[in-house]
Amino acid sequence: MPVLPSSITDPLWDQCQALLPKRAVAAHPLGCHRPRIPDRFVFDKLLARLVLGGTYQQHADHTCSATTVSARQDEWIANDLFERLHRLALKAYDEAIGLDLENLVVDGCIAKAAGGGQNTGRSPVDRGKSGLKRSVLVDGGGLPLGWVLAGANRDDSPLLRPTLEALRLFGFHPPPSITVHLDAGYDSQPTRALLEELGCAGRINPRGQFVPINHTHRWMIERTSSWHNNRGFKALAIVTDRRAVAQDAWVALASAVIVIRRLLRRAWTACRWDARPARRP
């Protein structure tokens, strides 16, 4: 049974296939060379691990071994495949629906990382166990634009600058007026100085005052954090990869799935195409 609907996996794989480098198929002179596992098999295994979590060995079977999945993932990471998939998904959404870059929201969420590794630290919300923090930047509709990975013991405020710079790294041209929505953890003079330096307006929840989240724009990123951690991506909720490049690749792949799912949902009522799902995603 597929872990994701074909309306999401098929366009994602079509774009992935277009980004993969062309490989010459060389036949062994004795006819005994083991053929290369098709990329689509490996891609489906990666999607299964993203959604279900677990180790590579748990998702291996007679069609594809754990070593093949891990090696092919490293090969694709070296080609920036997952980051490019995420950027192309955002570009398609921007052309079809339009990104809300006038309202940006930044916040951090903590995931378990019991095995330690890079970008991990003592989690203040999990009895000092090892954890990973994702400082995520989303647009006004909650679509993930960029992120910064750090240890769970890192404060949110120092991660704000590199998180906001992800908008420039992804090639978007922000509008002249930008409002950055932040929670009380960013209520400090350095944060206001940074926003003034970047030419952004800030709406920061004041410390010591309860502000219902539905009265602010911050509920968008709370929903995105729920998409990452609790709704369908167990590889992000429990981080088992120790290398930073692998951790970043999983976030990029999950974010691409989120953007495509949202694009299908928004376009379902306004557009018609041959492979349009019978029901609204």
Side-chain angles (χ1 to χ4, degrees):
M1 183 175 180
V3 294
L4 291 172
S6 60
S7 58
I8 295 177
T9 58
D10 287 349
L12 191 62
W13 165 247
D14 290 340
Q15 188 61 70
C16 176
Q17 191 176 23
L19 295 175
L20 291 176
K22 303 300 180 182
R23 297 180 61 91
V25 180
H28 196 276
L30 300 179
C32 59
H33 184 67
R34 183 177 181 181
R36 177 181 171 90
I37 301 296
D39 291 330
R40 180 60 193 264
F41 288 180
V42 180
F43 187 73
D44 289 340
K45 293 296 183 184
L46 290 177
L47 288 179
R49 185 170 185 263
L50 173 67
V51 174
L52 303 176
T55 63
Y56 294 101
Q57 288 77 13
Q58 290 174 326
H59 295 282
D61 55 20
H62 66 281
T63 63
C64 187
S65 66
T67 303
T68 300
V69 176
S70 179
R72 199 73 57 86
Q73 181 192 29
D74 292 341
E75 177 184 328
W76 292 348
I77 288 175
N79 293 326
D80 294 331
L81 174 68
F82 303 104
E83 287 76 8
R84 288 192 288 172
L85 279 177
H86 176 229
R87 297 178 191 179
L88 289 173
L90 286 175
K91 182 179 179 181
Y93 186 94
D94 193 24
E95 293 176 352
I97 307 298
L99 294 169
D100 181 8
L101 299 180
E102 294 186 357
N103 294 283
L104 303 179
V105 193
V106 179
D107 200 2
C109 64
I110 295 177
K112 295 179 180 293
Q118 297 175 331
N119 296 325
T120 60
R122 292 173 58 85
S123 175
V125 298
D126 193 18
R127 297 169 293 175
K129 296 180 181 179
S130 179
L132 178 144
K133 173 173 286 188
R134 289 189 298 269
S135 178
V136 183
L137 167 69
V138 302
D139 76 331
L143 296 180
L145 303 178
W147 52 85
V148 173
L149 305 182
N153 55 343
R154 292 285 303 277
D155 292 334
D156 290 334
S157 185
L159 301 176
L160 180 59
R161 179 186 290 274
T163 306
L164 289 175
E165 288 177 351
L167 187 66
R168 175 180 56 83
L169 295 176
F170 275 73
F172 293 112
H173 300 286
S177 60
I178 299 177
T179 302
V180 181
H181 302 263
L182 303 168
D183 65 7
Y186 298 89
D187 187 12
S188 63
Q189 187 57 36
T191 298
R192 293 183 175 84
L194 173 61
L195 295 178
E196 183 178 357
E197 175 188 343
L198 299 178
C200 303
R203 295 192 62 180
I204 308 174
N205 292 352
R207 291 180 182 269
Q209 297 184 19
F210 173 73
V211 180
I213 193 171
N214 58 342
H215 291 183
T216 68
H217 213 79
R218 288 191 52 259
W219 72 271
M220 291 291 182
I221 197 166
E222 298 295 340
R223 183 183 63 178
T224 305
S225 297
S226 177
W227 286 343
H228 275 156
N229 276 359
N230 303 322
R231 296 186 59 185
F233 302 118
K234 291 187 178 180
L236 301 187
I238 303 177
V239 180
T240 57
D241 294 271
R242 297 177 57 87
R243 297 177 301 149
V245 290
Q247 298 165 0
D248 192 75
W250 288 117
V251 180
L253 182 57
S255 299
V257 172
I258 289 173
V259 175
I260 293 176
R261 181 185 294 160
R262 192 65 180 170
L263 174 59
L264 288 172
R265 185 173 178 83
R266 293 289 303 273
W268 191 87
T269 57
C271 305
R272 297 291 185 270
W273 63 95
D274 294 339
R276 180 175 178 265
R279 295 182 178 181
R280 186 180 182 186

